[in-house]
Amino acid sequence: MKKSLLFFIILTLVFTFSLQFRAQAAPPLGPFVRHFSSLLKWTRSSSKAPHSDGHVLQFEDGYLVETVVEGNELGVVPHSIWVSEDGELFAVDAVKNNIVRITPPLSQYSRARLVAGSFQGHTGHVDGKPSDARFNGPKGVTMDDKGNVYVADTSNLAIRKIGDSGVTTIAGGKSNVAGYRDGPSEDAKFSSDFDVVYVRPTCSLLVVDRGNAALRQISLNQEDCDYQNSSISATGLDLMSYVFSSSSI
């Protein structure tokens, strides 16, 4: 503000000076013009953004990156991973549109076993038996204490559950148009970019709705959060994984 006012005052003085001596021989204005030009350069340069020094890195010693197993050996292109309390890995394959289970330790001999979805990568929005279920662009996965698996099925704009009764839809998916709406599960709407996280203290799913720049919550059944033996093997999911594990993906 001060710089703009100073510029206006100087410009006014120059204009007045030129009118006053229009008919007369003006005195040499060289020094004044040079000073005025330098002032203009100063106002322009002062408005520039400060110089950035870029990245400043400080590496900490003692860490090593190594590949323990490649996705093509597993037959899986994992988009995200969730690790159960007993160390089982649940991977979401957004390319083949399924959810698989991998038992550690990871090595070149590890194999993925289908939990739900299609071996062939078929898409759709189909609930029911895990082997008949269809997903479309699943990109997030989490699990409650009872072992129910929840999937962020992004292209279906829905949150799916894999439990004792098979695959169900617990929120969204009624419309194929992305949106932002709270309320009963069948009326809820999400963006096409979201993830799910199980929150034990509140017995809920936290929906990280990136497309709507919002954190949203879905309350779960209390019995699924108070389950004492939280191993996945205590649920029907273990049987389903075993049945589908006869063929690797």
Side-chain angles (χ1 to χ4, degrees):
M1 182 67 182
K2 292 181 179 179
K3 294 176 183 177
S4 299
L5 181 60
L6 179 61
F7 177 82
F8 178 78
I9 293 173
I10 294 174
L11 190 62
T12 303
L13 290 174
V14 172
F15 180 74
T16 304
F17 186 82
S18 63
L19 288 179
Q20 183 177 358
F21 295 97
R22 179 182 298 175
Q24 303 176 9
L29 294 179
F32 182 82
V33 171
R34 286 194 296 271
H35 179 71
F36 184 67
S37 299
S38 64
L39 181 63
L40 288 177
K41 292 179 181 178
W42 172 73
T43 56
R44 291 194 195 102
S45 62
S46 62
S47 63
K48 293 181 180 179
H51 175 69
S52 173
D53 292 330
H55 300 291
V56 179
L57 305 181
Q58 182 176 348
F59 282 101
E60 184 176 346
D61 295 334
Y63 295 93
L64 176 67
V65 179
E66 59 179 329
T67 300
V68 291
V69 60
E70 294 185 0
N72 57 359
E73 294 178 350
L74 283 172
V76 176
V77 183
H79 186 277
S80 62
I81 296 282
W82 191 90
V83 183
S84 68
E85 290 186 0
D86 55 1
E88 294 287 305
L89 275 63
F90 289 80
V92 170
D93 189 334
V95 175
K96 290 188 176 180
N97 299 290
N98 56 35
I99 293 84
V100 298
R101 174 180 175 177
I102 307 167
T103 301
L106 295 178
S107 71
Q108 60 179 332
Y109 303 107
S110 297
R111 291 294 178 265
R113 297 181 291 173
L114 185 68
V115 174
S118 167
F119 277 118
Q120 295 77 25
H122 298 314
T123 62
H125 190 164
V126 179
D127 290 330
K129 292 173 56 178
S131 58
D132 296 333
R134 296 293 179 263
F135 300 86
N136 192 2
K139 293 185 177 178
V141 62
T142 191
M143 182 187 296
D144 64 25
D145 289 342
K146 190 176 180 180
N148 297 307
V149 176
Y150 301 89
V151 180
D153 195 1
T154 58
S155 294
N156 280 327
L157 306 172
I159 296 174
R160 316 282 293 280
K161 176 183 177 181
I162 310 171
D164 293 336
S165 58
V167 180
T168 57
T169 299
I170 66 168
K174 189 175 181 179
S175 170
N176 59 0
V177 178
Y180 187 2
R181 180 187 297 167
D182 292 334
S185 60
E186 64 271 18
D187 296 328
K189 285 189 174 184
F190 305 97
S191 72
S192 58
D193 183 11
F194 64 93
D195 204 345
V196 288
V197 180
Y198 171 60
V199 183
R200 178 181 293 150
T202 58
C203 189
S204 64
L205 280 184
L206 184 67
V207 182
V208 185
D209 195 343
R210 301 184 188 93
N212 287 319
L215 294 177
R216 306 168 71 182
Q217 180 175 285
I218 301 174
S219 297
L220 302 177
N221 296 323
Q222 191 63 45
E223 62 183 17
D224 294 335
C225 303
D226 293 338
Y227 201 77
Q228 298 300 316
N229 299 316
S230 58
S231 171
I232 187 71
S233 62
T235 72
L237 283 179
D238 185 66
L239 176 60
M240 290 186 288
S241 293
Y242 178 79
V243 170
F244 299 143
S245 65
S246 57
S247 300
S248 61
I249 296 177

